[in-house]
Amino acid sequence: METSTLAMYHCLAFVWYFFLAYSITHLRAEERPSEVFVYGGQWKYLTVLNLVLQAVFYGVSFLADVLRLIKKLGCAKSVISSRDLLFSVLAFPVSTFVTISFWTLYTYNRELVYPRSLDGVIPLWLNHAVHTAVLPFALLEILATPHRYPAKKKGLILLGFVAFLYISWVLWIYSVTGEWVYPLFALFNPVGLAAFFAGSVAIIVSFYNFGAFLNRMIWGQSK
């Protein structure tokens, strides 16, 4: 894809994710079910954090495209490096995890992850925008441009660290409020919950490896 076309796409994707993040974080207070939006607000949900992550990623990608267009190649190189790290370690695996884990649990028992009380608050289109469309966007990004993946050890350490931070945030919220971020967690005893978190980390690591595989198959081994 030509740089100018890529810049336009990244700009539109940035605006789209900024709009989604704004929409879901600015629901009117009187519309928020009290049992859902407690301590931490929307910022305790991985879905919402992913929207911010995607907006940052596409913003950085757009900046890299603009720098390439105006021939600021020295600056573009460092921005592209940040773009690739964001995409490989976070943007692709997290968006893939959000879509697959959400719809798997929703199909099994939606009350465990998306209570019916949210239907009157979050429109159907917004639900699909934040839980479904994020995966096609990530796949399209792989098709649109190559990304240089970091050394596998470095990538997995960074991904594991971010996963640890989010799990710590979830546990902190429970320690403060006595309420789990997702009702699903209340089904487990401490050992089961630890196993669930470990399994989730293993799954998101597999998505990291899958993204690296797709990037390599489409664009070849980056040098």
Side-chain angles (χ1 to χ4, degrees):
M1 188 180 292
E2 292 185 2
T3 303
S4 57
T5 305
L6 199 60
M8 182 176 297
Y9 164 67
H10 284 149
C11 180
L12 292 174
F14 166 74
V15 172
W16 171 245
Y17 275 112
F18 183 87
F19 166 72
L20 291 180
Y22 179 87
S23 297
I24 206 165
T25 57
H26 285 76
L27 295 170
R28 289 182 297 176
E30 62 271 19
E31 293 180 344
R32 303 177 184 181
S34 59
E35 72 275 14
V36 175
F37 296 116
V38 289
Y39 183 87
Q42 294 97 323
W43 302 109
K44 61 178 176 286
Y45 296 112
L46 186 60
T47 295
V48 177
L49 296 175
N50 181 54
L51 295 179
V52 176
L53 168 64
Q54 301 301 324
V56 170
F57 164 70
Y58 283 107
V60 171
S61 297
F62 176 60
L63 175 60
D65 298 334
V66 170
L67 290 173
R68 290 171 63 194
L69 285 171
I70 63 176
K71 308 301 183 183
K72 298 290 185 178
L73 300 183
C75 295
K77 185 177 180 180
S78 60
V79 176
I80 288 173
S81 178
S82 299
R83 178 204 70 182
D84 290 347
L85 190 65
L86 270 174
F87 180 78
S88 61
V89 175
L90 294 177
F92 182 84
V94 173
S95 59
T96 306
F97 182 82
V98 165
T99 296
I100 293 179
S101 62
F102 175 83
W103 288 112
T104 298
L105 292 170
Y106 186 98
T107 301
Y108 173 71
N109 182 352
R110 64 168 298 176
E111 293 299 320
L112 297 177
V113 66
Y114 192 81
R116 294 183 186 278
S117 58
L118 287 176
D119 286 345
V121 180
I122 300 177
L124 182 61
W125 71 266
L126 184 55
N127 181 24
H128 281 291
V130 302
H131 288 124
T132 307
V134 291
L135 179 53
F137 265 96
L139 293 173
L140 181 58
E141 177 64 22
I142 284 185
L143 293 172
T145 186
H147 296 85
R148 179 173 298 179
Y149 274 64
K152 190 170 185 178
K153 182 178 179 180
K154 177 183 178 181
L156 292 180
I157 288 175
L158 290 174
L159 179 57
F161 178 69
V162 172
F164 171 78
L165 288 180
Y166 181 68
I167 291 171
S168 298
W169 175 227
V170 167
L171 294 175
W172 171 258
I173 291 172
Y174 178 74
S175 71
V176 172
T177 67
E179 299 287 339
W180 287 110
V181 171
Y182 298 103
L184 169 70
F185 298 157
L187 300 179
F188 299 105
N189 59 29
V191 174
L193 190 62
F196 178 83
F197 285 146
S200 297
V201 172
I203 290 172
I204 201 169
V205 165
S206 71
F207 292 149
Y208 168 86
N209 290 327
F210 180 61
F213 169 78
L214 288 179
N215 186 74
R216 186 168 58 251
M217 290 299 99
I218 295 171
W219 299 103
Q221 185 67 45
S222 60
K223 301 296 183 182

